[in-house]
Amino acid sequence: MPRAGLTQARVVDVAIALVDERGLAALTLAAVAERCGVAAPSLYKHVSNIADLRTLVGVRVIQEMTGELATAISGRSGADAVASLMWAYRDYVTEHPARYAAMPVDPLHQPEFAEAGRRMLEVIQAALRPWDLDEPNLIHAIRTARVIVHGFASLEAAGGFGLPHGLDETFERVIRMFLTTLPEL
């Protein structure tokens, strides 16, 4: 019988806390079991193996980010929605860099992540909807925005911007540059 209070969701919560504190490489069943106060074999009632746990963590990260992005664009449209989406993405990465590393780079083409990845994609597409882009141009816009935010936020989270002057101003400029790649509304 599973330990009282220990559920798959709780195991994932503990795994994410561990990743936040010690990095993705520290995620092991033994470390999660220790934090849960159980023997490692007890986790098998909730996860199949470490790969399963990593998948569950990755799906949770995508879901969390999707929620943050959806909240950011709610009630907004056009450039305001896109800028808010890009700020929310950056904020998530810089606040949770280790957790973000648990997200697969191409969730749409991995069955276990595809549904969560599609939901995130739908939120991004919603922000870009006012431009009424055809499919190829929509894909290019999504890729461009992702490259910009992922690159900027990943460098920032790793301490890669050592020069003086505010990063927010630089990021705002990057957003404006991206917006110029979209057709006029």
Side-chain angles (χ1 to χ4, degrees):
M1 170 160 270
R3 180 183 172 105
L6 192 60
T7 63
Q8 185 180 72
R10 176 73 181 124
V11 170
V12 173
D13 290 342
V14 169
I16 288 174
L18 180 68
V19 167
D20 283 343
E21 292 169 25
R22 297 186 17 213
L24 189 56
L27 181 58
T28 65
L29 291 177
V32 172
E34 181 180 329
R35 286 190 178 210
C36 288
V38 299
S42 297
L43 293 181
Y44 292 117
K45 296 174 178 128
H46 307 287
V47 296
S48 301
N49 51 40
I50 189 63
D52 183 34
L53 181 57
R54 287 180 182 267
T55 296
L56 293 168
V57 167
V59 168
R60 174 81 67 82
V61 169
I62 295 169
Q63 291 169 339
E64 285 179 356
M65 282 190 70
T66 300
E68 297 286 327
L69 300 179
T71 298
I73 69 168
S74 180
R76 302 176 191 277
S77 65
D80 186 36
V82 170
S84 294
L85 176 106
M86 292 175 82
W87 279 102
Y89 196 116
R90 176 189 172 209
D91 289 346
Y92 188 92
V93 176
T94 57
E95 290 170 15
H96 308 289
R99 188 181 300 191
Y100 178 68
M103 189 173 92
V105 294
D106 187 11
L108 297 176
H109 292 97
Q110 296 180 49
E112 61 274 21
F113 299 105
E115 182 180 336
R118 276 192 297 278
R119 285 196 205 115
M120 180 183 277
L121 183 60
E122 289 168 359
V123 171
I124 298 167
Q125 288 171 327
L128 292 164
R129 191 167 291 124
W131 284 273
D132 196 28
L133 300 169
D134 61 17
E135 184 179 356
N137 285 310
L138 179 61
I139 290 170
H140 292 308
I142 291 167
R143 284 179 182 155
T144 303
R146 182 178 180 210
V147 165
I148 289 167
V149 181
H150 169 80
F152 192 98
S154 295
L155 283 169
E156 181 180 0
F161 293 123
L163 297 174
H165 307 296
L167 290 179
D168 288 351
E169 181 180 342
T170 303
F171 191 66
E172 192 63 48
R173 289 178 183 204
V174 169
I175 291 171
R176 285 195 308 268
M177 286 176 14
F178 169 71
L179 289 169
T180 66
T181 69
L182 299 174
E184 283 193 42
L185 288 178

